[in-house]
Amino acid sequence: MIPIAPIFIKSKETLQKLSLLLDEERLAYGGSDSEVIISLSEQKQTLLDEMNQLNEKRVNVLIKFDVLDRKKPTEQDFKDWLNLQDSSMDEVRLLMQECEALLKKCKTQNNTNAQVLNTLQKRNKYLFELLQGHSSKNKVYTSRGSTRPISSKQTLGRA
C-alpha cells in the first residue's frame, strides 16, 4: 500500500489552519492594524510553503511507486489511478475530497480578502489625495500628454 494517507491528513490540517488564518486576516483588515496584518501575512506564507512541500512529497511518493509519470506527473493521472483502486483506498479518496473542498474554500476566502484589501487601498488613496488637495476629477494634460492633478490652494493642511 502506498503511504500517502498521512500526507493528505497533514494537508487537510494545514488547509484548516489556513482557512482560520484567512478569517483572521479579513477581520484584521477591518481593524487596520498593520502589524497584525503583516504577522498574518507571514503566517499565511509559512502555511502555503508547507502546502507546497506536502504536494511535492506526495508527487515524489507517487512517482516512486510508479503511479505517476516521472517526466510529466499530473493530478488527473493520480485521480484516474485512485478511481481504479479497491476499497482499501477509500480513506485516501475521502481525504482528497476534503482537501479539495478546503482548498476551494481557502481560494474563495483569499479572493474575498483581496477584494476587501483593494477597496481599502482605493479608499486610502482617495483620502490621501483629499488631504493633499488633489482630486482625481481635476487633472490637466502636460506637454508630454500625461496627466497630473491640479493642486488646490485650499488643502486641508493649509487651512
Side-chain angles (χ1 to χ4, degrees):
M1 185 167 171
I2 300 174
I4 56 173
I7 297 171
F8 276 110
I9 291 170
K10 184 67 178 161
S11 294
K12 180 182 170 185
E13 291 170 359
T14 303
L15 287 167
Q16 288 170 333
K17 290 177 189 175
L18 183 60
S19 179
L20 292 172
L21 194 68
L22 289 165
D23 285 338
E24 287 180 45
E25 183 182 55
R26 190 178 61 253
L27 293 173
Y29 287 150
S32 299
D33 186 348
S34 61
E35 290 179 16
V36 172
I37 293 170
I38 290 170
S39 172
L40 290 171
S41 178
E42 290 169 353
Q43 292 175 46
K44 186 167 68 168
Q45 187 60 51
T46 301
L47 290 174
L48 291 173
D49 291 342
E50 185 177 333
M51 281 303 300
N52 283 334
Q53 290 173 353
L54 288 168
N55 191 45
E56 285 179 30
K57 184 177 181 180
R58 180 179 61 91
V59 169
N60 288 335
V61 167
L62 293 171
I63 288 172
K64 180 179 177 182
F65 284 90
D66 290 326
V67 173
L68 297 179
D69 181 25
R70 183 173 302 279
K71 294 178 183 174
K72 192 177 178 185
T74 66
E75 192 69 25
Q76 190 58 46
D77 287 344
F78 170 65
K79 288 179 181 180
D80 292 343
W81 174 84
L82 190 59
N83 287 332
L84 297 174
Q85 302 308 304
D86 60 13
S87 62
S88 65
M89 296 297 279
D90 283 347
E91 179 188 11
V92 173
R93 283 186 195 96
L94 180 63
L95 285 167
M96 190 176 91
Q97 290 171 353
E98 290 173 343
C99 285
E100 286 177 342
L102 280 167
L103 182 62
K104 185 176 180 180
K105 179 182 177 185
C106 287
K107 285 181 179 180
T108 302
Q109 288 174 298
N110 196 52
N111 287 337
T112 300
N113 289 356
Q115 290 173 346
V116 169
L117 183 60
N118 187 31
T119 301
L120 289 172
Q121 286 173 333
K122 285 179 182 177
R123 182 193 72 187
N124 288 342
K125 181 181 178 193
Y126 171 76
L127 292 173
F128 182 67
E129 287 177 351
L130 190 65
L131 284 172
Q132 288 183 320
H134 298 172
S135 171
S136 58
K137 296 176 185 173
N138 299 332
K139 293 191 177 194
V140 295
Y141 286 99
T142 64
S143 61
R144 294 191 176 157
S146 60
T147 60
R148 66 176 173 85
I150 300 174
S151 293
S152 171
K153 292 181 180 177
Q154 297 298 324
T155 63
L156 197 56
R158 292 183 187 162

